[in-house]
């Protein structure tokens, strides 16, 4: 028995010595490459690529919480192809704190910010005294980390009293410092002189209706407005779509993001965006697509825009094929969603969910004359002018 205890004791000493000799790591990383880009797969439509864009965003250089560099990183991880940093020309909420932080460099303590809000200043004011092109420059520099995957469009927001005048984004600007004027109409003119495209932002925000104001009518009459933001964040302005059709204006969906975009993912959606139909992802091609109105707006799983473009986009997104025929002659088809977007379709009184990259089956009865009916349904999360769902007809292929 003593011999057994001795052997066990020696074995224990050996194990202890081996453990003591084992090297303990200094640090351990449990997660590698935690951040991943969300790839949003969309079809080609009529020979054009479909690019994902957010053309209304903000940074700490106006009234938001993130830097332009962080905005670019966020946009890339969210799956965007095109991005615009549209900081306000007239308003910088963070300026007082910035000046306090820099008091040692300004020759003394700064008691208050004298240049943070020029929306209602007198006619002698020159506007924000800073380089208003800096946010775009920083975004362009940050985008180089992603190669040519993210196009940055130079831009800014012209901001005035929302109920009577409104807010407008100037896209493809060349010098944001030359845009401000105490007369907001002149500010729009200054942007147009640079060749900018101008978007009327959130037409129903802070108002009871989306009706055009007297100021907006003047801007439209001068042909200063090129497009309308029909979706802003989670807000949708269906009535504004009619003016886009009447006046040949593009339609946008934008986040107007001030905080972070993670709440979109938490709610189960992609961020609000514009789908732009273009040959390539270059400034020239994207501008041309906007001018032609080749856009659809996306927000919270809904898609809105021109009726024909909605039709073409859906038919490019969803394929179908005949599967079988029932005892009473009904033809059963498989509908396959080949994209990252979800669809909801109504056949008669029944609503079908058609999630991304999934297939559903639909049965279609014959006509009274015994001929196979076409597959006809409405897409209930798509919206055309008049707040209507597009009607889709797929030709019968049953045998």
């Amino acid at each position: 028995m003593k011999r057994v205890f001795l052997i066990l004791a020696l074995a224990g000493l050996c194990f202890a010595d081996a453990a003591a000799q084992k090297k303990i790591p200094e640090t351990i990383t449990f997660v590698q490459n935690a951040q991943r880009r969300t790839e949003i797969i969309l079809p080609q439509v009529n020979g054009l690529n479909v690019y994902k864009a957010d053309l209304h965003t903000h940074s700490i250089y106006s009234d938001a919480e993130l830097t332009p560099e962080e905005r670019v990183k966020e946009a890339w991880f969210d799956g965007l192809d095109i991005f615009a940093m549209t900081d306000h020309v007239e308003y910088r909420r963070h300026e007082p704190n910035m000046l306090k932080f820099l008091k040692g460099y300004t020759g003394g303590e700064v008691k208050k910010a004298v240049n943070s809000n020029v929306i209602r200043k007198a006619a002698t004011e020159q506007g924000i005294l800073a380089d208003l092109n800096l946010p775009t420059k920083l975004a362009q520099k940050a985008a180089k980390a992603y190669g040519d995957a993210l196009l940055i469009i130079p831009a800014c927001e012209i901001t005035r009293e929302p109920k009577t005048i409104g807010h407008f984004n100037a896209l493809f600007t060349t010098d944001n410092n030359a845009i401000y004027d105490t007369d907001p109409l002149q500010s729009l003119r200054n942007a147009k002189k640079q060749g900018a495209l101008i978007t009327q932002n959130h037409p129903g925000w802070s108002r009871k209706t989306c009706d055009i104001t007297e100021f907006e009518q003047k801007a439209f009459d001068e042909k200063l407005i090129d497009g309308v933001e029909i979706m802003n964040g989670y807000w949708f302005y269906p009535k504004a779509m009619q003016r886009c059709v009447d006046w040949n204006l593009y339609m946008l969906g934008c986040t107007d993001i001030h905080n972070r975009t993670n709440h979109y993912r938490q709610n189960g959606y992609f961020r609000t965006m514009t789908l732009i139909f273009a040959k390539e992802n270059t400034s020239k091609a994207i501008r041309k697509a906007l001018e032609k109105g080749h856009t659809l707006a996306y927000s919270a799983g809904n898609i809105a825009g021109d009726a024909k473009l909605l039709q073409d986009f859906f038919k490019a997104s969803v394929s179908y094929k005949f599967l079988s025929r029932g005892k009473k002659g009904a033809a059963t088809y498989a509908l396959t969603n080949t994209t990252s977007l979800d669809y909801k379709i109504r056949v008669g009184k029944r609503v079908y969910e058609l999630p991304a990259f999934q297939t559903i089956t639909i049965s279609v009865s014959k006509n009274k004359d015994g001929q196979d009916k076409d597959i006809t349904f409405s897409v209930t999360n798509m919206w055309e002018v008049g707040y209507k769902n597009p009607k889709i007809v797929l030709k019968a292929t049953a045998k």
Side-chain angles (χ1 to χ4, degrees), residues 8 24 64 108 157 172 250 326:
L8 291 174
I24 299 175
E157 183 168 12
F172 303 97
Y250 57 75

Side-chain angles (χ1 to χ4, degrees), residues 323-334:
L323 290 181
S324 62
R325 190 178 296 282
K327 293 181 179 180
K328 295 183 179 181
T332 298
Y333 292 87

Side-chain angles (χ1 to χ4, degrees), residues 312-329:
D312 292 345
F313 182 70
F314 181 88
K315 289 181 178 180
S317 300
V318 177
S319 64
Y320 71 104
K321 65 179 181 179
F322 170 71
L323 290 181
S324 62
R325 190 178 296 282
K327 293 181 179 180
K328 295 183 179 181

Side-chain angles (χ1 to χ4, degrees), residues 244-286:
C244 294
V245 173
D246 292 342
W247 297 339
N248 196 28
L249 309 173
Y250 57 75
M251 305 184 206
L252 298 188
C254 306
T255 60
D256 190 7
I257 195 68
H258 286 70
N259 47 17
R260 294 184 181 273
T261 60
N262 61 329
H263 58 86
Y264 288 104
R265 292 187 295 277
Q266 292 168 355
N267 289 328
Y269 304 113
F270 299 118
R271 67 190 281 170
T272 300
M273 58 187 170
T274 303
L275 308 181
I276 302 179
F277 300 71
K279 283 285 188 183
E280 57 186 0
N281 193 15
T282 63
S283 291
K284 182 178 180 180
I286 296 305

Side-chain angles (χ1 to χ4, degrees), residues 19 22 32-33 49 83 86 115 128 180 193 207 212 228-229 234 249 274 331 334 367 369 388:
K22 184 178 179 181
Q32 296 286 349
N33 299 322
N49 299 315
F83 176 81
T86 56
N115 190 227
I128 292 284
Y180 175 75
K193 286 179 183 177
R207 301 177 180 180
I212 298 173
V228 179
E229 191 179 67
Y234 293 115
L249 309 173
T274 303
N367 289 316
D369 59 3
K388 297 184 297 184

Side-chain angles (χ1 to χ4, degrees), residues 69-80:
E69 294 89 343
E70 290 172 306
R71 281 280 177 243
V72 167
K73 181 185 292 186
E74 186 180 57
W76 189 81
F77 281 111
D78 284 347
L80 296 186

Side-chain angles (χ1 to χ4, degrees), residues 34-283:
Q35 290 183 301
R36 295 180 177 87
R37 172 175 164 88
T38 297
E39 293 296 348
I40 305 173
I41 308 302
L42 300 176
Q44 277 199 332
V45 180
N46 300 325
L48 300 175
N49 299 315
V50 184
Y51 296 106
K52 292 82 67 179
D54 191 352
L55 302 179
H56 189 175
T57 68
H58 295 282
S59 79
I60 60 170
Y61 291 99
S62 57
D63 60 342
E65 309 304 323
L66 272 65
T67 65
E69 294 89 343
E70 290 172 306
R71 281 280 177 243
V72 167
K73 181 185 292 186
E74 186 180 57
W76 189 81
F77 281 111
D78 284 347
L80 296 186
D81 307 303
I82 304 162
F83 176 81
M85 191 83 261
T86 56
D87 278 319
H88 299 283
V89 169
E90 304 89 349
Y91 177 52
R92 292 189 307 198
R93 178 168 63 86
H94 296 291
E95 186 179 75
N97 287 333
M98 288 181 178
L99 293 177
K100 289 178 182 178
F101 177 74
L102 294 172
K103 65 180 180 180
Y105 296 91
T106 59
E109 183 178 357
V110 178
K111 295 182 179 180
K112 64 179 181 178
V114 296
N115 190 227
S116 62
N117 189 333
V118 297
I119 294 175
R120 297 180 180 86
K121 293 291 184 178
T124 55
E125 290 290 341
Q126 297 179 2
I128 292 284
L129 305 179
D131 182 7
L132 302 179
N133 297 310
L134 180 62
T136 289
K137 292 177 183 177
L138 294 176
Q140 290 172 329
K141 183 178 179 180
K144 292 180 180 179
Y146 307 105
D148 58 357
L150 190 61
L151 173 68
I152 307 298
I153 294 177
C156 64
E157 183 168 12
I158 299 168
T159 311
R160 299 302 164 94
E161 201 285 319
K163 291 184 179 179
T164 58
I165 299 176
H167 295 189
F168 306 86
N169 277 344
L171 306 174
F172 303 97
T173 58
T174 58
D175 184 7
N176 294 336
N177 297 315
I179 288 177
Y180 175 75
D181 192 277
T182 52
D183 177 2
L185 203 59
Q186 187 58 46
S187 289
L188 297 180
R189 296 186 189 115
N190 292 342
K192 292 295 285 186
K193 286 179 183 177
Q194 297 183 14
L197 298 179
I198 296 180
T199 307
Q200 179 192 16
N201 294 338
H202 41 66
W205 179 64
S206 213
R207 301 177 180 180
K208 294 182 178 179
T209 74
C210 289
D211 294 342
I212 298 173
T213 66
E214 181 180 350
F215 173 85
E216 289 167 345
Q217 188 62 58
K218 292 179 181 178
F220 281 113
D221 289 343
E222 285 193 35
K223 300 188 184 302
L224 296 174
I225 310 300
D226 302 287
V228 179
E229 191 179 67
I230 64 169
M231 288 179 172
N232 177 284
Y234 293 115
W235 293 93
F236 178 30
Y237 305 104
K239 288 185 67 176
M241 296 173 67
Q242 186 64 56
R243 76 188 62 159
C244 294
V245 173
D246 292 342
W247 297 339
N248 196 28
L249 309 173
Y250 57 75
M251 305 184 206
L252 298 188
C254 306
T255 60
D256 190 7
I257 195 68
H258 286 70
N259 47 17
R260 294 184 181 273
T261 60
N262 61 329
H263 58 86
Y264 288 104
R265 292 187 295 277
Q266 292 168 355
N267 289 328
Y269 304 113
F270 299 118
R271 67 190 281 170
T272 300
M273 58 187 170
T274 303
L275 308 181
I276 302 179
F277 300 71
K279 283 285 188 183
E280 57 186 0
N281 193 15
T282 63
S283 291

